[in-house]
Amino acid sequence: MIRPLIAGNWKMNAAGADGRALAEGVGAGAAEVASACDLLVCPPAVVLAAVADVLAGSAVAVGGQDCHEASSGAHTGDLAAAMLAEAGASFVIVGHSERRADHGESDGLVQAKAAAAHGAGLNAIICIGETEAQRDAGETLGVLSGQIAGSIPEGAAAANTVIAYEPVWAIGTGRTPTVDEVAAAHAHIREQIETKIAEAGEARLLYGGSVNPKNARELLAVDNVNGALVGGASLEAASFLEIARQAAS
Ligand code: 13P
């Protein structure tokens, strides 16, 4: 039995006082679900340390939304994985489709970022997923294979690597794949990570894309779905905790 992880990706929302208030809300409800699932919030970098302070001693871990592949240097505007760790992060998301699209991030860059995360002692959440055009063309499983082959670094293990399957067309749209489609994708991912992640059978595979309190139970019950990466519904403590409750029950 793999312990589920319910992760909130706040994206470019909830900084400052809003971020601290959201963290307080999540922290206040965490004890109720913490016996059955792990909780993580990934706030904007400017509020990460403050959120980590709010959640210190709680069951909620904190993560970054991205890191640079280098450990230091002349990289204006970027953050090293070790800086996130120092600010209180234990996880970092890499290769989110919004970064792949907005910043042209390639599989090779995502792999280097995940390696940097591991080097700093962080758990890397590596995101993969097909576009709508790729799904319509019947390319979904091939796209996932390519992203897995290219984005997972040497030294990845179940203890330091989480894979998040996020169909691009399901992000922020209210649309989700059918449970059969999720099951097929996750079974394929489990098979493909066998040679890339040590103890691959234990690695957590998250589903992400329009997860909400209404559909979470069904999505989280799918084979090889070991949690969720939640965007919009993680911006209110009550809906995020309700999703976690469904993972826990
Ligand atoms: P939504 O839950 O808002 O669809 O976002 C999913 C996501 O991109 C999480 O990383």
Side-chain angles (χ1 to χ4, degrees):
M1 179 67 193
I2 301 177
R3 194 174 152 83
L5 171 65
I6 303 299
N9 175 7
W10 296 0
K11 306 190 181 184
M12 203 166 70
N13 301 291
D18 288 350
R20 285 193 296 277
L22 179 52
E24 274 161 18
V26 172
E32 186 199 332
V33 292
S35 61
C37 78
D38 289 339
L39 289 173
L40 167 69
V41 294
C42 300
V46 290
V47 77
L48 193 150
V51 165
D53 272 353
V54 167
L55 293 171
S58 80
V60 187
V62 179
Q65 298 179 9
D66 177 51
C67 65
H68 195 275
E69 68 275 22
S71 56
S72 66
H75 303 290
T76 303
D78 277 312
L79 293 170
M83 295 174 176
L84 297 173
E86 197 183 341
S90 49
F91 286 78
V92 63
I93 298 168
V94 293
H96 192 282
S97 64
E98 288 153 13
R99 294 209 58 90
R100 290 178 186 260
D102 292 356
H103 299 274
E105 295 193 1
S106 64
D107 287 336
L109 180 60
V110 174
Q111 183 183 48
K113 289 183 174 202
H118 291 160
L122 295 179
N123 206 313
I125 300 180
I126 301 174
C127 301
I128 59 175
E130 81 287 359
T131 63
E132 184 155 33
Q134 289 166 332
R135 175 162 285 273
D136 289 347
E139 295 168 0
T140 298
L141 301 187
V143 167
L144 298 179
S145 299
Q147 290 173 330
I148 288 167
S151 305
I152 300 177
E154 294 282 316
N160 66 13
T161 305
V162 174
I163 303 296
Y165 169 55
E166 299 206 307
V168 177
W169 53 272
I171 295 175
T173 59
R175 298 164 57 203
T176 56
T178 66
V179 291
D180 287 349
E181 287 167 342
V182 174
H186 278 243
H188 182 73
I189 294 165
R190 180 74 68 198
E191 190 185 289
Q192 295 287 307
I193 61 173
E194 182 63 41
T195 56
K196 300 287 291 181
I197 300 183
E199 290 166 359
E202 302 295 308
R204 289 193 279 201
L205 309 184
L206 309 185
Y207 168 77
S210 296
V211 177
N212 63 45
K214 289 202 173 73
N215 61 21
R217 188 179 301 280
E218 183 178 59
L219 291 164
L220 290 164
V222 174
D223 270 1
N224 288 304
V225 173
N226 314 116
L229 183 54
V230 185
S234 74
L235 295 176
E236 287 195 0
S239 55
F240 184 63
L241 288 166
E242 180 54 30
I243 292 167
R245 237 173 256 125
Q246 299 193 12
S249 64

